[in-house]
Amino acid sequence: MATHGDERSGTSDLMERVCERANLQAALKRVRKNKGSAGIDGMTVDELPEHLKTHRPALREQLLAGTYQPSMVRRHAIPKRGGGVRELGIPTVVDRFIQQAILQVLGPRFDPTFSQYSYGFRPRRSAHDAVVQAQRYVNDGRRTVVDVDLEKFFDRVNHDVLMGRLAKRIVDKRLLGLIRRYLEAGMLADGIAIERHEGTPQGGPLAAPRERALDEVDKELEKRGRAFVRYADDCNVYVRSKRAGERVMELLRQLFASLRLRVNESKSAVDKVWNRKLLGYSLWAAKGRVAKHRVAPTALEMIKIRVREVTRRSRSQSITRVVQDLRSYLVGWKNYFRLADTPGSSARSTNGFGIG
């Protein structure tokens, strides 16, 4: 296996690889497949191929010269499960195309070095893998969990800390400069430009660099033999006693503080696994039985809220459109929660999802 010192990411020609024709074609195909909303310029994914026919040579020249300047992202707020809103930064489709091209070069170089217990935004890994691994820990006797919620992780990632970690792996200064410009790209909200000095946009595909920020925490937990799963900013460590959990919680506070991140104390806890949730799932078990998955109460509340929103009369949508939207949401929801195994008669009366 290659070591960090001889990995190809240590070379100075990564931008040339980003701009290779085959890589750009693959990036265009992926962006078109992912679809998504337009950015501040209004250009749609369907319009991107025609735009690139004319502008690809100039775009490539700017990238290779290290002079490309990303556009601001468009602010889009979505409701959070616990109340309030989460802000997404939606890049232009051209910037999504460039970011995807970068990800295809950096991803294969970074991903093999990440912890096997990190599941967020990684190829061939999913939220389901994370909750199944958590179930294994619990059935192995670790029935106390250190459930850590980071305070506004995506808004608080320190740019200097993140770029310092990336500079250890990337020599190409053009690529480092471009990633920093993406981090610092402003946000357009209601016609007003907002500067950004910390945080990473949630709407773009540059996940591998962001994962690098938390990789050191994973490695420290592995070195100490801790049983954990992490999905982006959701981190759960499974232990056999509350006393052990308190020690782990203090360790995590210190580790995250070194990255200039704070633990949200009001949402974090050392508790029995039955009282906490992970990625929309919680666990249950009859006495002496193995732990099984069920839909967490907060996720059940969210589906009820969403169904009411889709079906409310004030939407002024045709019944056909309402049915289409509702079916799309429910099919996706049922697929995501297919691991759920709700206890007793509740399972028989609700098809295993805990809703009537």
Side-chain angles (χ1 to χ4, degrees), residues 51-164:
H51 174 85
L52 291 177
K53 285 182 182 179
T54 304
H55 297 91
R56 192 192 315 238
L59 186 61
R60 184 177 185 276
E61 184 178 333
Q62 291 174 34
L63 291 171
L64 292 175
T67 60
Y68 178 78
Q69 184 62 47
S71 299
M72 289 187 292
V73 298
R74 177 172 64 84
R75 184 171 70 177
H76 177 66
I78 60 173
K80 295 172 65 174
R81 285 179 179 172
V85 296
R86 186 187 299 276
E87 287 190 351
L88 297 182
I90 301 179
T92 64
V93 292
V94 171
D95 280 325
R96 294 213 295 274
F97 164 69
I98 295 171
Q99 289 182 32
Q100 181 63 37
I102 294 172
L103 177 63
Q104 290 168 180
V105 170
L106 292 185
R109 291 163 171 78
F110 278 24
D111 192 77
T113 70
F114 290 154
S115 169
Q116 64 174 311
Y117 303 110
S118 167
Y119 298 90
F121 310 112
R122 296 180 62 187
R124 297 174 297 280
R125 288 169 176 265
S126 69
H128 285 168
D129 295 325
V131 297
V132 167
Q133 181 60 50
Q135 180 188 35
R136 293 192 189 104
Y137 291 143
V138 173
N139 284 327
D140 191 41
R142 296 177 175 88
R143 301 203 164 190
T144 297
V145 62
V146 184
D147 184 359
V148 174
D149 181 90
L150 290 177
E151 196 171 276
K152 297 184 177 180
F153 168 66
F154 292 99
D155 299 329
R156 296 273 171 86
V157 174
N158 183 275
H159 292 171
D160 291 335
V161 171
L162 177 54
M163 293 307 302

Side-chain angles (χ1 to χ4, degrees), residues 4 6 14 103 133 192 214 266 331:
H4 287 189
D6 61 11
L14 286 180
L103 177 63
Q133 181 60 50
I192 299 174
L214 296 181
S266 66
V331 168

Side-chain angles (χ1 to χ4, degrees), residues 267-279:
K267 294 184 178 180
S268 303
V270 179
D271 202 349
K272 293 297 183 183
V273 294
W274 326 115
N275 301 329
R276 308 299 293 183
K277 63 182 176 63
L278 175 65
L279 301 172

